Amino acid sequence: MVEVLFDDIFRVEKLNPDDKKLFEKDINSELYPLKVGQKFALLLVPTLNPDGTPDTGYYGQGNRQSLADNFEYVMYGKLYRISEDSGREKAEITISFGGLLMLLKGDHSHCNKFELDQRLFLLMRKV
């Protein structure tokens, strides 16, 4: 089973349903248009292999099963910044997906599974 590092549902207004995490993400709106008020599920995982085996860094669209099969929009990127504010109980994670950036702000407990320079897949689908 793949280790899910982050799994949540967001509204395009950027706050998730429990209002505890702030999410900002650049996407290719020509390929994956989203409208204000629309909800989407977002998953961050280190591999697309359903059994959790590490990714080789090469993806071939063969006949094998993939986590991407259940999502509409998939990107591959690198976590390049983890900022933890010692004065507050907040943390920020910044990931680059080939120049499209993602900023995830939230409680420290949401950030303890992430590592600097970690390679990640972002998977999205509309709900």
Side-chain angles (χ1 to χ4, degrees), residues 13-120:
E13 287 88 26
K14 299 180 185 168
L15 288 178
N16 74 341
D18 62 10
D19 293 337
K20 292 184 180 174
K21 292 176 278 305
L22 178 65
F23 167 78
E24 295 178 24
K25 174 72 194 103
D26 295 332
I27 63 168
N28 185 334
S29 59
E30 291 179 12
L31 293 177
Y32 197 68
L34 290 170
K35 297 176 184 171
V36 172
Q38 191 167 23
K39 290 184 178 182
F40 61 93
L42 180 132
L43 194 69
L44 286 173
V45 292
T47 180
L48 291 177
N49 298 324
D51 61 0
T53 55
D55 191 83
T56 62
Y58 173 78
Y59 179 73
Q61 293 182 330
N63 291 329
R64 62 186 180 142
Q65 206 172 20
S66 165
L67 291 177
D69 296 339
N70 300 318
F71 290 85
E72 303 162 337
Y73 188 76
V74 178
M75 295 193 304
Y76 182 67
K78 182 178 181 181
L79 191 154
Y80 71 92
R81 184 184 313 144
I82 300 175
S83 303
E84 297 184 29
D85 189 351
S86 58
R88 292 180 273 158
E89 295 183 13
K90 299 285 182 192
E92 294 182 1
I93 294 172
T94 310
I95 305 169
S96 176
F97 298 93
L100 297 174
L101 300 179
M102 175 180 165
L103 174 65
L104 185 62
K105 296 179 186 180
D107 196 83
H108 285 287
S109 63
H110 297 292
C111 302
N112 57 5
K113 296 180 182 178
F114 294 98
E115 300 173 8
L116 196 59
D117 295 328
Q118 186 175 23
R119 303 287 179 174
L120 297 167

Side-chain angles (χ1 to χ4, degrees), residues 1-8 42-46 67 113-114:
M1 187 71 147
V2 68
E3 178 186 11
V4 175
L5 300 174
F6 186 81
D7 182 11
D8 213 332
L42 180 132
L43 194 69
L44 286 173
V45 292
L67 291 177
K113 296 180 182 178
F114 294 98

